[in-house]
Amino acid sequence: MTLDFKQKVIYQIYPKSFRDSDGDGIGDLRGIIEKIPYLNELGIDMIWLNPIFPSPQKDNGYDVSDYCKIDPLFGTMADFEELVAKLKSVNIDIMFDMVFNHTSTEHEWFQKALAGVPEYQDFYIRRPLKTDGSLPTNWESKFSGPVWAPFGDTGDYYLHLFDPSQADLNWRHEPVRKKLYDVVNFWLDKGVKGFRFDVINLIGKDKELRDALPGENDKLLYTDRPIVHDYLHEMNQASFGQHDGIITVGEMSSTTVDQGILYSQPDRQELSMVFSFHHLKVDYENGEKWTDMPYDFMALKQILHEWQKGMNDGNGWNALFWNNHDQPRALNRFGDTGRYREKSAKMLAASMHLLRGTPYIYQGEEIGMINPEFDSLEDYQDVESHNAYQQLRDDGLSEEKALQLLRAKSRDNGRTPMQWNGGKHAGFSNEKPWLRVGKSAESIHVEQSLKERDSVFYFYQKLIQLRKDYRVISHGSYEAYQLEHPEIMAYERTYESERLLVLNNYQDVEATITLPDDYLNDHTMWLIGNGTKRPLTKEMTLEPYETLALYLA
Ligand code: TEU
């Protein structure tokens, strides 16, 4: 049976932290090969690997210096080919992470441009200073500071929306686009079946770049420009669109539902689906990440609903996720890390996996991993975290407060080594890992999760299987149910005569919801849940963090 991307579940591997096979403290391809039986047991269909290309690793591989090689840090091309073949034998495909908005300044193209080689002069976005001597625009880098850095001694400045070592490519220059499409084709030939395109809605900069006006959001000046759609369609036609069954997902920074529909509507031939992040900003005070605020449950529900409903009605497709390598662990944000850790992990899993879209599981999520609780600044490796710490201190925050914010918000929260067992270095490596293992490693690990039949792991395994077995999950339409309920997130999926009502209690206390009469009969099936099985009643009281999916056919 061939499955389409609506029936599949994708598992994200952060290669640096998955499994170290050669004792250098850094995860690698042979480590992933070792763990194929584990991935197969979980039942996922594809693994997304964060970038494994040669890179100075200033931004953990999102600063690529060669798109067509494997970084020796992770192994060789032969290791990669072996990984593809061995995964294929258990029906798992690979998704690659294409960082096409920018390259490392160590990339040959940037170096040649810097050396004055004529062919490469237009590969990056360069501008002179303004006549008053100020920078070409007043935009702020996503990693703090200005977005412009001197381009050698030419007097020009180059644009970097992220770190100065990540120079933005000039997509308006056709040879740049051609080279990037060749990269996609190179990996298609190697058997790669999926592509995640990093910050892809930022690639289309205007010809004339201008300052943000006072109070104007500078991001809007380079995000979702109409020309991005032209480029994506062109890339589709020149590469992956020529093959059957390739899955693509665009990582969309600060986008809108309307744009999401345009990027993912099948007949537009751009991408299969999009990642959006608004639901993961509901614990940002006034939209600022480096703040400390309990999450806003009603906002979370509202945002997820708008994306579900909007994409449903507009025939777009969502990538569904709680965690990734840029996010603190969802359990710390929306669940419980103590008494109800497993229960809330299952609730979050079901409430996401039963939505309309393609679910992504981030390594460790399937065993209920939580934030590592680092003690000192030295424990952090991430460039964004270090810049933010400096900024917070400059803004007058105490060391203690700044560290508390890192503990809650740092991207390293999601990047700590995978917890395989309760032994030394969590079974990730025999040597000291590049990033400290989380404090919970002794009790939260794979070995434990595989031992217990009712563990978080087996709950994920069941959700993955249900998506393959039930069209209502993979192909059904979406409607909110009691959107205004203050404690429970509920929704209904419908496919032909099948219906699925999903109820999720996000509170650590009981909560009651009125069930639709249709479900109050003997035919209703309790499809999946994490609570005590009991008769359905019109007024149904859910246990703390209970999830329950009721199926009618
Ligand atoms: O992330 C894009 C992005 O917008 C993030 O910077 C996000 O805003 C931030 O992590 C939240 O704190 C992608 C990659 O996923 C990320 O790892 C890279 O650093 C970034 O692009 C640059 O390539």
Side-chain angles (χ1 to χ4, degrees), residues 259-321:
Q259 287 291 329
I261 293 170
L262 296 178
Y263 290 124
S264 61
Q265 234 175 33
D267 46 3
R268 292 178 55 88
Q269 299 178 305
E270 295 184 25
L271 300 170
S272 320
M273 65 187 99
V274 298
F275 280 119
S276 67
F277 295 90
H278 301 281
H279 67 293
L280 297 179
K281 296 184 180 173
V282 294
D283 52 3
Y284 290 14
E285 197 174 335
N286 301 320
E288 285 296 323
K289 168 169 171 166
W290 299 99
T291 52
D292 203 1
M293 186 182 92
Y295 84 101
D296 178 342
F297 173 62
M298 294 312 275
L300 175 71
K301 270 196 357 171
Q302 189 59 36
I303 293 167
L304 286 173
H305 167 70
E306 277 164 20
W307 278 86
Q308 282 292 307
K309 183 74 183 142
M311 297 290 256
N312 181 84
D313 296 354
N315 196 24
W317 198 252
N318 285 302
L320 306 170
F321 72 108

Side-chain angles (χ1 to χ4, degrees), residues 20-31:
D20 170 22
S21 74
D22 60 3
D24 61 359
I26 298 172
D28 45 50
L29 295 177
R30 300 216 69 82

Side-chain angles (χ1 to χ4, degrees), residues 59 62 102 143 196 198-199 251 289 325-326 384 411:
D59 185 22
Y62 285 90
H102 43 264
F143 291 164
R196 177 238 189 216
D198 189 57
V199 290
E251 189 211 22
K289 168 169 171 166
H325 64 292
D326 292 334
E384 187 203 44
R411 305 196 296 183

Side-chain angles (χ1 to χ4, degrees), residues 155-170:
D156 273 2
Y157 282 66
Y158 68 91
L159 178 75
H160 62 87
L161 294 180
F162 294 88
D163 190 69
S165 69
Q166 295 165 299
D168 281 53
L169 282 161
N170 179 16

